[in-house]
Amino acid sequence: MNARQTVSLVLGSGGARGLAHIGVIRWLEAHGYAIRSIAGSSMGALIGGVYATGKLDVYTAWVSALERLDVLRLLDLSFARAGLFKGERIMDVLRELIGDCRIEALPVSYTAVATDLDTGKEVWLREGRLFDAIRASIAIPLLLVPSRLDGRRLVDGGVVNPIPIAPTLTDRTDLTIAVNLSGKPDAAAKTEPATPLPAPPTSYKQRIRAFIENLWTSPPKPEPEDLGFFEIALRAMDTMQETIARLKLAAYTPDVIIDVPRDVCAFHEFHRAKELIAIGEAKTEQAMTRLLR
C-alpha cells in the first residue's frame, strides 16, 4: 500500500447507517490514506462536513454517548404541515459542539448534495455556511421541514442522488472511494433490536411523541399490515435510494465501493453509534483488502 495515496471520499445517505461513515474514515486515516475531497448526501454530508472541520473525534464521542431517549430529546416538534420536526435543536447542538464555518475555509474540498423541491434538480452546495448546507442535505421529506437557502426550498440530497460521485469527477486524487449505505442485507452485520419504551401519556403533543417513540417498539420485521404510514414512507425512500444508488454506481464507477448492508439497523437508530462505526471499519477493511489483492 502506498501510504501517500490521496482519496476522494463519497459518503452516501441512509439515516443512522451513516454513522458507519465514521468507521470508514477511521480506517482510511489509520492506514495512511489522505482524504482530500468529500462529497456527501444527507448523513454523508453531515459526517463528511464534521470531518472536514477536524472535529470528527469530538462528534464521535458525543454521538457514541447518546442513549435512545437522548435522541428523542433532540427532536423539536413542528406543527407546520411541511414536516414533523423543525430540525433547529439538533443543528444548534451541532453548531455548539463543532463550531460553524464557511465551506470555502475548509482544508479539504467539500460538497453537500441537496434537492431543490420546486425544480426537482440536484443542488451542489460548495460555499456558504457549513451547517446551512448540512441542514439542507439532511431535510428528509415528511421528517424535517425543508430548508430555505438562497431563495430555494431544499430537501434531502438522497432524493435524487444518494451516492454523489459526480462532484468528485474532476478531483486530482489517486482513488475515489464511495460508501454505499444501501448494500445487500447481511444478517451477520445486523445490530440487536431496541428495547420497547413504556406507553406515554395521551395529550395531543405526547401522542405525536408516542408516534415517534413507537418507531423503536416495532419488531425488526413486522407484518406488512402492521406498518404505519411513517414506516412505509421511510421504507419507500430506502427502496428509492437503493435503486438510484445502483444507477449512479453503474454510471460513475469509483475505484472502491464500500457496501454497508441496508439492514444493519433501522433508519432512526442513532443511539447505536459504536456498533455502526465498527461495521464501517470492518466493511472498509474488506473492500480495501480486495483492492490491494
Side-chain angles (χ1 to χ4, degrees):
M1 179 184 70
N2 181 351
R4 296 181 179 177
Q5 282 189 307
T6 56
V7 170
S8 294
L9 187 60
V10 180
L11 301 177
S13 63
R17 297 192 301 274
L19 293 171
H21 292 321
I22 298 173
V24 174
I25 292 170
R26 279 185 169 179
W27 192 97
L28 292 173
E29 287 202 316
H31 289 78
Y33 291 91
I35 300 169
R36 295 286 181 257
S37 173
I38 296 172
S41 275
S42 200
M43 271 298 286
L46 193 157
I47 300 298
V50 171
Y51 169 77
T53 67
K55 298 288 187 67
L56 187 61
D57 287 344
V58 175
Y59 175 83
T60 301
W62 173 76
V63 76
S64 297
L66 289 179
E67 299 290 343
R68 179 160 41 93
L69 290 177
D70 295 325
V71 177
L72 289 175
R73 293 187 186 103
L74 291 171
L75 302 178
D76 46 354
L77 289 170
S78 169
F79 291 97
R81 294 175 1 186
L84 285 175
F85 306 108
K86 293 180 285 187
E88 295 173 3
R89 187 175 301 163
I90 180 60
M91 298 313 298
D92 287 343
V93 169
L94 290 174
R95 286 188 179 96
E96 183 177 352
L97 185 71
I98 305 301
D100 207 350
C101 63
R102 295 192 66 82
I103 294 173
E104 304 94 299
L106 295 173
V108 299
S109 174
Y110 173 80
T111 305
V113 175
T115 303
D116 189 315
L117 188 60
D118 297 306
T119 66
K121 293 182 179 179
E122 181 176 334
V123 178
W124 295 359
L125 301 171
R126 291 176 151 172
E127 58 184 22
R129 304 207 68 82
L130 174 63
F131 279 103
D132 288 347
I134 290 173
R135 172 63 179 83
S137 188
I138 67 171
I140 303 167
L142 291 182
L143 190 60
L144 291 184
V145 173
S147 175
R148 290 190 176 272
L149 190 61
D150 298 330
R152 295 176 293 195
R153 291 189 296 179
L154 302 179
V155 296
D156 196 294
V159 171
V160 291
N161 196 348
I163 186 162
I165 300 169
T168 69
L169 292 179
T170 59
D171 291 346
R172 296 182 178 181
T173 52
D174 299 314
L175 292 172
T176 298
I177 299 174
V179 186
N180 173 30
L181 299 180
S182 298
K184 293 180 180 179
D186 181 359
K190 193 179 296 185
T191 59
E192 293 298 320
T195 303
L197 287 173
T202 56
S203 72
Y204 177 67
K205 186 172 181 179
Q206 287 168 331
R207 284 202 304 271
I208 296 178
R209 287 192 182 277
F211 169 71
I212 302 304
E213 290 168 356
N214 282 338
L215 290 173
W216 275 269
T217 68
S218 299
K221 291 184 178 180
E223 294 300 320
E225 60 269 23
D226 294 334
L227 297 177
F229 85 90
F230 191 70
E231 179 69 15
I232 291 172
L234 289 179
R235 288 194 182 194
M237 187 165 178
D238 257 353
T239 301
M240 176 191 71
Q241 290 185 356
E242 179 190 351
T243 302
I244 297 173
R246 287 201 303 267
L247 293 173
K248 295 294 184 182
L249 289 170
Y252 307 107
T253 304
D255 299 294
V256 181
I257 301 172
I258 299 170
D259 285 315
V260 175
R262 60 180 178 269
D263 63 341
V264 293
C265 72
F267 188 89
H268 54 274
E269 293 183 311
F270 290 93
H271 59 290
R272 297 177 180 252
K274 293 179 182 179
E275 300 154 278
L276 293 163
I277 291 168
I279 289 170
E281 289 180 303
K283 293 300 180 183
T284 307
E285 173 80 24
Q286 293 171 11
M288 298 305 288
T289 298
R290 288 194 295 269
L291 172 70
L292 296 175
R293 287 175 180 170

